[in-house]
Amino acid sequence: MIDLNLLLLFRAVAEEANFRAAADRLGVTRSAVSQGIRRLEDSLGVALLLRTTRSVRLTEAGVELQAALARPLTEILGTLDSLGAEDCPRGLLRIAATSIAEPFLSGPLIARFAEAHPRITLDITVTDAEFDIVAAGFDAGVRLGEVIEQDMIAVPVGGPQREAVVASPAYLAAQGVPDHPRDLVHHRCIGWRPAPNTAPYRWEFAEDGRPFDVAVDPQICTNDLRLMMRTALNGGGITFAPLQTLQPHLDSGELVSLLEEFLPSFPGFYLYFPQRRNMAPKLRALVAHVRGSR
């Protein structure tokens, strides 16, 4: 195997046509340059340079090697320089985001990031499955802070969140308004589950500072937040979802908020990623963008 550093040394000598100038360019001694060229020639079994006390010129083999190295070495060195470049991050950035991460998925944050970093391609998978993002080949994920592994770095996306219990005016007129979360077991509820064959999510509340949950046994259950909301809008029952997602329909009066005194705020969503000493510029750019958007 030929030491590839010797090829860089040869290129410098070939371009400078002078051992001392090549040594100065590379920051090594003239003796190191001379010994390196000799090692390269011995490895190849052919002379690459004709040198006298007054001049250095390439042999036919040297001319051929210089021509062969010119473009590949330039491209390789350019790539090495750009891999750590911060001025224009580039490449594919794969992110796994939970379906309820409205502050991240609503659009503005992603749109502004894409505009600011045209050479970064975003591949966002919306999934509520729990898995190791590193093993699955993702650069980062977006989830609620309470379910993120302790060995991950987490950066807040948006601020604290609050769940909301909602129903349409038509449903409430027909079925009545629950006074306490435990009354929900007597209502038609629209629930959420993360994946097939998993139990529906238990609706979480607090009373006098003490948390509790209610297993509502939903008549309608899905892993699609949009279906939950649309069903509630059409009088299908009471549903439970992040307030930020439901807010436009509450503002318009299409949905009514219920049991607000039992729904405290909680830490919201986080962009998380594995701890790395040398973070890729593309991921560093996203982290900076998320921090700057808060």
Side-chain angles (χ1 to χ4, degrees), residues 65-85:
L65 179 59
Q66 183 188 30
L69 290 176
R71 182 176 177 183
L73 273 180
T74 299
E75 291 180 351
I76 290 170
L77 293 174
T79 298
L80 291 175
D81 286 341
S82 67
L83 287 179

Side-chain angles (χ1 to χ4, degrees), residues 48-70:
L48 299 171
L49 299 167
L50 294 174
R51 43 209 183 271
T52 69
T53 56
R54 295 177 303 279
S55 65
V56 174
R57 68 182 179 87
L58 298 175
T59 64
E60 184 177 349
V63 171
E64 186 177 347
L65 179 59
Q66 183 188 30
L69 290 176

